[in-house]
Amino acid sequence: MLCFTREHEWISVTDDEEGTVGITDYAQKQLGDVVFVELPEVGSRLLQGAQAAVVESVKAASEVYAPASGEVIAVNTALAEDPARVNTDAMGAGWFFKIRLDDPGELAGLLSEGDYREHVEALH
Amino acid sequence: MATFSGNRGLQMEQPLIFEQGSPDRTAVDLPDVPAVGDRLGGLKRQQPVGLPGLSEPEVVRHYTRLSQKNYCIDSGLYPLGSCTMKHNPRLNEKLARLPGIGDLHPLQPVSTAQGALMIIDACARWLMALTGMPAVAMSPGAGAHGEFVGMAAIRAAHEDRGDARRRVLVPESAHGTNPATAVACGYAVEPIPANRRGRVDIGRLRAALAPDVAAIMVTNPNTCGLFETDILDIAAAAHDVGAYFYCDGANFNAIVGRVRPGDLGVDAMHINLHKTFSTPHGGGGPGSGPVVLSAALAPYAPVPYVVNEGDGLSLVEYAAASDGKPCGRIKGFHGQFGMFVRALAYMMSMGSDGLKQAATDAVINANYVMARLKDVMTPSFDGPCMHEALFDDRFLKGSEITTLDFAKALIDEGYHPMTVYFPLIVPGAMLIEPTETESRQSLDRFIDVMRALAARAVAGDAERFRNAPRFTPRRRLDETSAARHPVLRWRTPAVDRAAE
Amino acid sequence: MRYLPLNDSDRRAMLAAIGVADADALFQDVPAGVLDRPIALPAHQDELSVERAFQRLAALNLAPSSVPCFLGGGLYRHHVPAAVDHLIQRGEFLTAYTPYQPELAQGTLHALFEFQTQVAMLTGMEIANASMYDGATATAEAAMMATRIAKRRRIVVSGGLHPHYGDVVATYARFHGLAVERLAGDWQGIEDAAAAVDGATACVIVQNPDVFGRIHDLTPLAETCHACGILLIAVVTEAVSLGLLRSPGEMGADIVAGEGQSLGNATSFGGPTVGLLAARETFVRQMPGRLAGATRDVDGRRGFVLTLSTREQHIRRDKATSNICTNSGLCALAFSIHVSLLGEAGMRRLAELNHARAVMAAQRLAEIPGVAVCNETFFNEFTVALPCPAAPVVEHMAAAGVLGGVPLSRLFPEDPLMTPLLLVAVTETATDEDIDRLVATLSAALQA
C-alpha cells in the first residue's frame, strides 16, 4: 500500500507492516540537486509527524517527517555516497529509511496517490 | 579561444601555493638559532608540516595575482543589500597601525594603556549618543555575536526575576542569524509573517505575544529596506507582556544621526561597525558588533568593560569584580579594539552632521535607483524606501530567466550583483543598496546598465543570461558537486590518488 | 565632507527625479517627534585633526614595540614581515565582501582554501574551516560541536586552559543548557583530566602548551577519551609552537581550536585576531563557520566556492550549527601569507628561535635570587615564582620601561596561589639586550 503526506513524503507498506519512506518526485524537483541526506539511526523510534531526516540541496535544507510511528529498521546507506539517487529515482532507489509500524491504523490519515496528486496541483 | 598559457591578457592563471616552490626555500631570513638545550620534554615534531617554500617575490606575486580575481568596493559599486558596502577610509587603516595602538598587548598593565581605554570609552560614548541608549557592551566579535550577547542579557534578566520564558518571536523577513541566535540562547523561535506592505503584521504579532515570550527580534529599517511604521506600537505590545525588544541593527546606517533607536523603545541592538561605521569587510571579516542596552538590561552586560574610577580608567575583566550581574564573558580579551579605532576615526571624521548626511544620502541614492528602475523592473512594495531598493522577479515572468541569471549577467557588465533571494518573503528578491558612497554619475551608469539588461531579458535573450558570466576568471561553478563530494583542502597528488 | 560624493545640486536633481520636495519626505515612515532629535556630538573634522587626536591617545600608552616586551598569555608579539601588511591592504582583499558570488571572488576563495589547508597541516588534522572570531570563541564552538557529535551534555575543561577561554565556554554552555566541569588552575602541572570524565561527558578541553607554558603529551588522555566515546579538544594559543611541537592531531585530538594571531597579526590590544578550528573530516557537517571547497566551472577549470552552506544560519536559520556569520577573513589571510612566506624551513626555524630565546631567558631569570622557574617544559612561555606578589613588580618594571610579563593574578584573580606567579613570554623579537634588561629590572624591582 502506497500513501502520501501533505509534506511530500511517501510510505510504502508491506503486508507484514514494514514501511519504506522517501520524498516524492515533486519534492525532489522543488529542492533541486540533492547533496546530502541526514538519516535517522537504526533502532531509533519515530512518532508520526516528528522530524525523521533532513534532505539538503546546495541552497536549502528541508526536514522529512515520519509518515507513521515506528522503529527504524533500515536506512538507505547508499545515499551517503550518491545522494543524486533522490533526484533520479525518488520513489525507488532514493528511499530514505524503513520502519516497523506501531499502528497501521495511522495510515488512514494519509493521502492516497490520487489525493496527493490533487494536493500538488492545488499548490500551483 | 584558449591561449597556450591559460592566461588571457591581464587575467593570470595561478596555481595553489602548494603547487609551487620547494621545501628548502623561504621568504623570511632568520638569525642562527643559538645552541642551547631544549626544554620540549621529548615532544618535538617528528614529521614535516608539509608546507611549500617560496621566496618573497614569489609570495608577493602569488597574492597579488589572487587579489586581481576579486571585485571590491575600491574598484566599483557594490550594491549588496543588507551588507552595506560603503567606502573604507584609509586614514582608519593608518591609525589602527600606529605604534601605541596596533602593537598594544591586551594584558599590559592598564596603567600603560590609558589611551587604549580612552579609545574604547570614546567609541562607546559615540555609539550610546547615536543610539540614545544608556549602555553598550563593546566586546562582541561581529554582528551575530552581538545578537548573542543581547539575547543572553535578555535571558539573564528574565532568569534573574525567576521568570522562565521560552519563546522568541522573529519576523519571517529576518536575517538567518536572528533565529539561529535565539536558539543559541536556548529559546524556541516562532516566525511572524509580514503584511502586504512588507512590514511586520502587527495583528499576528499581538496574537502571538504572551507572558512566555522572552523577546521579539525586529530589524529596523527592515530587510525589505523599509522603516517599520508601527515600530512604537510593536515595542509597546512587547513590553506589555514583559518581553524585551531586540532590534537587529544591521540597517542602522539608514537612520544614523537622524533616528535614535532608544526613542523607539528598543532594549538591545547590535551595531555592525563594518556596515554603518565603515570598517572594512576584508573578504568576510573581521567584524565588530557592540550591542547597546537599555537601563533594564545594562546590569547583565558581559565582561570586560571600562570604568572610570576617578584616578584614570580601568577594566572590569571578571564577573566577580563587577557590581552588575554580567551574563558572562563572550570573547577573549577586550573585543575588536582595532575596529573601535577605525570606527571612532570614521565617526570623528564625519561628525554628527556628516553621519546624518550619510544616512540621508544613502536613502536618496536608494530612492533614486528605485525611481529610475521601477518602470522596467518590479518593485516589491509601494512608497519610498529607506537605504535599499527591493525588486522581485515578476518582471522576468515568461522570460525563462531567473534572478540568479540576471545577477550573473550583471557581472559581465562589470558590477557586483545585488543581494539575491533575500529577504525570503519576496519571490526572486533583488535587494539593491547603493550606499552614500556612490555619486550621481556612478548611479546613472549603473541604472543604464540595469535598464538595458531588463530590456534584454524581457525581449527574450535567455541564452545571454544563462551563459553569464562569460568574462570572469571563472564562469559558473558547480556548487552541487562541491557539496556532494567536498574537497576542503589540498593534498599531495599521491595522497589524492590513493583516496580515489 | 570628504567621504560623500553628492553635492546639493545632485541632491536636488535626484529628489526631483524621485518626485519629492525634500529628503525628509523619504523619512515619512518615521513616527512623528522621533526624527532629528538633537544629538550632542561634535561636527566633522579634517583628516589631520583626527590623526593628531589619535597620536595624542597613542602617546598615552606604553608601546610594546618601543620597549623590551615579554607579554604573552594568549597573544604574542612576533615580527610580521612587511609583505604581509602590504598584501592585506590591497583593496581587492581589504574591501571585498564575503565571497557569496564566487565568479567575482576567486582571489578570496582560493586564499581561504589555502588557509584551510595550512591550518589542517599545522594542527595535524584532516580539515579546517575558514576561521572564527578568535581562539576563545573557536574553543567554545568546538565544545558545542563536540556535544552535538557525542550527543552528550557535559564538558570537562582542564585547569591549564586560558581562563578567558574557559569563561567563554562556560557562557556558551550556560545558554545551551550544558554542564561544564572546570578543573582548578593547574600551575603545578599535576592535573589528571581523565579522572574527571564520566559517561555523560562529551568532550575534554586541554590546552597545549597550557596557559602556564607547559607542554603535554596528549596521547594517553586521547586514548582514555576515545575508549569512552569522548572527544578530545586540543587548544593552541601560540600557533608558532606548531612548527616545533608534535601536532595535536598526531597526539589523537579530535578537534583543534586555536588562536592564530601569532602568525601575521598584530596584538592590537586583543583584537581582531583569528580563531582556528580544525577537525576530523567525518565531523564536517557539525562544524560551524564558512568552508571553501574546490570544484570546476562550466568550462572544466578548477575553481573555489563556499560550500556545505546548509550548516549555516543564512540557510538553516534556527537549525544552524552556530549563529556565526562574519568570520576573521582578513586576519586569516594575514596568517596565511605569513605561513607562505615562512614555508616549511622558515616555520621550523622561527619556532626553534622562539624556543631558544625562551630557554636563554629562563636560565637567566633562574639565576636571580628568590626567583624560580616553575616549568619543566615550555615552548616560548613559562611561569616564574617570585618571592612577592607579581602584579606590583610588573608595574614597577613597566615604570622602568620593560613590559616584563603577565602576573597570573590578572588571569586568575580569585586564586591566591597565583599571586606570586609571573608568566613570561620570549619570542624572536627579544634581543640579548632585552633579556639583560628584563633580568636587571626584575632584580631591581624585587629589591625595591
Side-chain angles (χ1 to χ4, degrees):
Chain A
M1 184 169 68
L2 184 62
C3 304
F4 295 82
T5 68
R6 289 177 181 278
E7 290 76 37
H8 312 289
E9 292 97 9
W10 56 265
I11 180 167
S12 167
V13 184
T14 61
D15 293 341
D16 50 1
E17 298 178 359
E18 273 184 28
T20 303
V21 178
I23 64 169
T24 64
D25 200 50
Y26 172 82
Q28 71 79 14
K29 280 202 189 101
Q30 291 296 306
L31 271 168
D33 291 341
V34 171
V35 299
F36 181 68
V37 180
E38 186 183 311
L39 295 168
E41 281 177 30
V42 174
S44 62
R45 299 202 60 84
L46 300 172
L47 286 177
Q48 188 177 37
Q51 184 190 318
V54 179
V55 56
E56 297 182 2
S57 65
V58 171
K59 300 288 184 198
S62 294
E63 279 132 34
V64 176
Y65 303 100
S69 308
E71 182 186 339
V72 178
I73 52 174
V75 296
N76 188 356
T77 50
L79 295 183
E81 259 310 294
D82 189 13
R85 286 173 188 223
V86 178
N87 295 115
T88 52
D89 193 7
M91 305 289 292
W95 64 278
F96 281 28
F97 56 89
K98 294 181 195 284
I99 53 174
R100 181 169 297 116
L101 300 189
D102 287 348
D103 174 14
E106 284 180 343
L107 301 175
L110 302 182
L111 304 178
S112 69
E113 192 159 3
D115 291 345
Y116 178 70
R117 200 174 302 127
E118 277 177 30
H119 169 62
V120 167
E121 276 163 15
L123 293 174
H124 286 272
Chain B
M1 192 169 60
T3 56
F4 298 113
S5 59
N7 299 338
R8 281 183 295 181
L10 291 179
Q11 264 186 37
M12 305 295 187
E13 286 298 306
Q14 190 62 10
L16 288 164
I17 198 121
F18 309 101
E19 295 161 345
Q20 306 171 52
S22 64
D24 57 335
R25 220 177 294 169
T26 180
V28 182
D29 292 326
L30 291 162
D32 289 338
V33 178
V36 291
D38 87 64
R39 301 279 295 265
L40 301 173
L43 293 167
K44 202 175 207 172
R45 176 183 273 281
Q46 303 298 318
Q47 304 293 324
V49 176
L51 299 170
L54 289 86
S55 64
E56 181 174 309
E58 292 170 295
V59 173
V60 169
R61 187 169 292 166
H62 178 73
Y63 287 100
T64 301
R65 286 184 170 193
L66 292 190
S67 76
Q68 289 166 339
K69 300 176 195 301
N70 275 359
Y71 191 93
C72 64
I73 184 66
D74 278 1
S75 64
L77 186 155
Y78 213 132
L80 268 180
S82 182
C83 303
T84 311
M85 297 301 289
K86 63 165 72 177
H87 174 60
N88 306 138
R90 290 311 193 276
L91 171 66
N92 305 354
E93 297 304 311
K94 182 180 180 183
L95 300 181
R97 289 166 170 82
L98 288 178
I101 290 184
D103 60 346
L104 290 178
H105 192 284
L107 298 178
Q108 68 186 80
V110 291
S111 60
T112 68
Q114 287 293 300
L117 299 189
M118 288 162 83
I119 288 170
I120 297 175
D121 191 51
C123 192
R125 286 175 191 284
W126 274 84
L127 297 177
M128 289 188 286
L130 289 168
T131 55
M133 301 284 281
V136 60
M138 295 296 284
S139 61
H145 209 213
E147 286 179 32
F148 177 79
V149 169
M151 293 303 292
I154 285 170
R155 187 165 150 188
H158 284 305
E159 284 179 353
D160 200 24
R161 286 192 301 268
D163 190 358
R165 294 180 176 228
R166 285 289 152 255
R167 286 188 301 148
V168 169
L169 309 184
V170 182
E172 283 173 349
S173 59
H175 296 110
T177 49
N178 294 177
T181 299
V183 167
C185 287
Y187 288 116
V189 175
E190 191 168 319
I192 301 295
N195 64 22
R196 300 174 73 168
R197 295 176 53 248
R199 272 82 171 183
V200 173
D201 186 330
I202 190 163
R204 300 285 291 271
L205 179 81
R206 282 208 171 99
L209 278 167
D212 68 329
V213 173
I216 56 169
M217 298 182 82
V218 176
T219 310
N220 189 39
N222 69 24
T223 59
C224 301
L226 302 170
F227 198 91
E228 289 286 350
T229 37
D230 294 327
I231 194 74
L232 295 174
D233 294 335
I234 288 170
H239 292 155
D240 282 348
V241 297
Y244 291 101
F245 175 11
Y246 186 91
C247 182
D248 181 326
N251 293 338
F252 186 45
N253 58 304
I255 56 172
V256 61
R258 302 207 65 170
V259 179
R260 301 186 308 173
D263 295 332
L264 304 175
V266 168
D267 292 295
M269 182 183 91
H270 72 267
I271 301 163
N272 306 78
L273 296 186
H274 49 293
K275 293 181 180 178
T276 302
F277 296 109
S278 85
T279 72
H281 282 79
S288 179
V291 56
V292 289
L293 299 168
S294 62
L297 294 178
Y300 306 96
V303 290
Y305 53 87
V306 175
V307 291
N308 191 339
E309 292 184 326
D311 55 346
L313 300 173
S314 62
L315 273 169
V316 175
E317 295 183 271
Y318 291 90
S322 169
D323 52 13
K325 301 166 183 173
C327 64
R329 169 181 278 280
I330 49 101
K331 193 177 178 306
F333 308 106
H334 325 311
Q336 307 282 57
F337 176 76
M339 296 301 152
F340 306 156
V341 173
R342 290 170 174 88
L344 180 60
Y346 175 76
M347 291 188 283
M348 288 169 64
S349 294
M350 295 296 278
S352 57
D353 51 339
L355 292 169
K356 176 181 173 179
Q357 190 64 60
T360 306
D361 285 0
V363 172
I364 292 175
N365 277 356
N367 278 283
Y368 184 67
V369 168
M370 173 67 84
R372 290 208 48 211
L373 291 178
K374 68 181 177 193
D375 59 324
V376 294
M377 294 170 66
T378 37
S380 302
F381 302 105
D382 293 334
C385 56
M386 295 300 288
H387 62 306
E388 292 163 328
L390 176 60
F391 299 92
D392 53 39
D393 62 2
R394 282 174 296 157
F395 76 102
L396 296 173
K397 199 156 194 176
S399 70
E400 294 184 2
I401 295 163
T402 64
T403 287
L404 185 70
D405 297 331
F406 196 84
K408 298 297 186 193
L410 192 56
I411 294 176
D412 275 341
E413 304 295 333
Y415 286 103
H416 194 285
M418 65 299 271
T419 292
V420 291
Y421 301 107
F422 182 85
L424 305 177
I425 60 168
V426 170
M430 303 183 199
L431 186 65
I432 301 175
E433 179 176 8
T435 83
E436 72 277 12
T437 292
E438 298 308 319
S439 68
R440 183 181 161 203
Q441 291 77 10
S442 162
L443 290 180
D444 282 337
R445 284 192 295 271
F446 172 71
I447 288 163
D448 288 346
V449 167
M450 291 289 283
R451 294 185 69 88
L453 279 177
R456 188 59 75 96
V458 171
D461 190 358
E463 224 26 47
R464 178 196 188 102
F465 289 83
R466 274 202 296 271
N467 287 330
R470 291 166 295 167
F471 309 130
T472 41
R474 288 291 179 273
R475 298 181 55 214
R476 284 197 209 188
L477 291 136
D478 186 349
E479 299 191 41
T480 300
S481 79
R484 280 181 180 165
H485 305 289
V487 177
L488 305 173
R489 60 170 292 184
W490 177 85
R491 286 186 166 91
T492 57
V495 172
D496 250 5
R497 273 196 301 277
E500 274 168 15
Chain C
M1 278 177 245
R2 60 189 180 276
Y3 304 145
L4 300 178
L6 297 187
N7 61 24
D8 281 340
S9 83
D10 289 327
R11 292 183 186 110
R12 273 195 301 276
M14 293 167 83
L15 290 167
I18 295 164
V20 293
D22 57 33
D24 284 358
L26 302 175
F27 288 80
Q28 66 180 33
D29 293 333
V30 176
V34 170
L35 191 66
D36 293 335
R37 288 194 187 166
I39 295 176
L41 287 168
H44 67 279
Q45 292 185 57
D46 61 275
E47 183 167 320
L48 183 57
S49 302
V50 175
E51 188 169 331
R52 280 188 181 132
F54 276 87
Q55 280 166 340
R56 278 195 296 273
L57 288 163
L60 298 175
N61 301 321
L62 181 58
S65 59
S66 67
V67 295
C69 173
F70 299 90
L71 299 169
L75 296 185
Y76 302 87
R77 182 176 150 64
H78 290 283
H79 174 69
V80 177
V84 174
D85 210 34
H86 163 76
L87 289 166
I88 68 164
Q89 286 201 74
R90 287 186 64 93
E92 300 92 329
F93 287 132
L94 184 76
T95 77
Y97 193 67
T98 305
Y100 288 134
Q101 295 286 346
E103 301 91 341
L104 288 177
Q106 283 299 298
T108 294
L109 287 160
H110 184 133
L112 287 178
F113 185 80
E114 293 177 348
F115 169 80
Q116 290 172 189
T117 306
Q118 289 168 334
V119 173
M121 284 176 163
L122 284 163
T123 55
M125 302 304 287
E126 288 166 339
I127 54 159
N129 78 1
S131 80
M132 309 298 285
Y133 304 132
D134 70 352
T137 56
T139 303
E141 291 278 13
M144 301 304 108
M145 178 179 163
T147 61
R148 291 192 296 271
I149 293 164
K151 299 194 170 74
R152 298 178 185 172
R153 306 188 64 78
R154 183 167 176 266
I155 300 161
V156 172
V157 176
S158 157
L161 182 68
H162 193 293
H164 287 184
Y165 287 45
D167 289 349
V168 176
V169 170
T171 305
Y172 276 53
R174 171 183 168 195
F175 292 103
H176 281 83
L178 303 166
V180 179
E181 168 91 17
R182 292 180 73 173
L183 306 180
D186 176 37
W187 67 278
Q188 293 171 294
I190 52 172
E191 171 184 288
D192 180 11
V197 306
D198 62 18
T201 305
C203 60
V204 176
I205 306 175
V206 291
Q207 181 177 323
N208 193 47
D210 69 23
V211 70
F212 307 97
R214 283 196 181 78
I215 303 168
H216 299 273
D217 183 359
L218 303 180
T219 316
L221 180 59
E223 283 166 5
T224 306
C225 286
H226 295 160
C228 310
I230 295 166
L231 281 78
L232 178 64
I233 299 175
V235 173
V236 178
T237 62
E238 171 48 295
V240 172
S241 72
L242 295 167
L244 189 59
L245 299 183
R246 282 180 69 189
S247 71
E250 206 183 330
M251 295 191 284
D254 299 287
I255 304 175
V256 178
E259 173 55 65
Q261 171 272 330
S262 279
L263 291 161
N265 288 277
T267 45
S268 194
F269 206 51
T273 61
V274 49
L276 312 178
L277 188 62
R280 297 183 187 279
E281 195 153 15
T282 50
F283 300 155
V284 66
R285 287 184 183 273
Q286 292 302 333
M287 203 160 191
R290 294 179 188 139
L291 287 164
T295 187
R296 301 270 160 190
D297 78 352
V298 291
D299 296 329
R301 295 175 298 177
R302 178 174 67 188
F304 304 92
V305 293
L306 290 179
T307 192
L308 303 180
S309 305
T310 44
R311 300 163 298 114
E312 295 181 71
Q313 48 74 27
H314 64 101
I315 294 187
R316 207 60 174 274
R317 298 175 79 85
D318 54 328
K319 302 263 183 347
T321 51
S322 162
N323 77 340
I324 191 168
C325 177
T326 297
N327 61 11
S328 277
L330 202 69
C331 299
L333 179 68
F335 175 102
S336 198
I337 295 171
H338 195 177
V339 172
S340 295
L341 287 163
L342 287 164
E344 182 77 29
M347 190 75 213
R348 179 85 179 199
R349 188 148 184 183
L350 177 63
E352 286 173 348
L353 196 57
N354 271 260
H355 184 55
R357 306 297 306 169
V359 170
M360 290 163 70
Q363 285 168 353
R364 295 284 308 280
L365 289 171
E367 290 164 7
I368 301 174
V371 174
V373 173
C374 302
N375 297 50
E376 296 274 314
T377 59
F378 57 87
F379 170 64
N380 67 353
E381 185 171 36
F382 50 85
T383 302
V384 295
L386 306 181
C388 58
V393 170
V394 166
E395 292 281 350
H396 208 277
M397 292 169 79
V402 173
L403 292 166
V406 177
L408 278 167
S409 58
R410 176 109 184 238
L411 295 175
F412 297 89
E414 288 164 70
D415 186 346
L417 294 174
M418 300 292 176
T419 305
L421 302 181
L422 179 67
L423 190 61
V424 179
V426 190
T427 73
E428 80 286 355
T429 62
T431 62
D432 289 344
E433 191 195 356
D434 289 344
I435 294 173
D436 289 344
R437 285 191 60 195
L438 172 69
V439 171
T441 50
L442 179 58
S443 303
L446 292 177
Q447 281 156 19

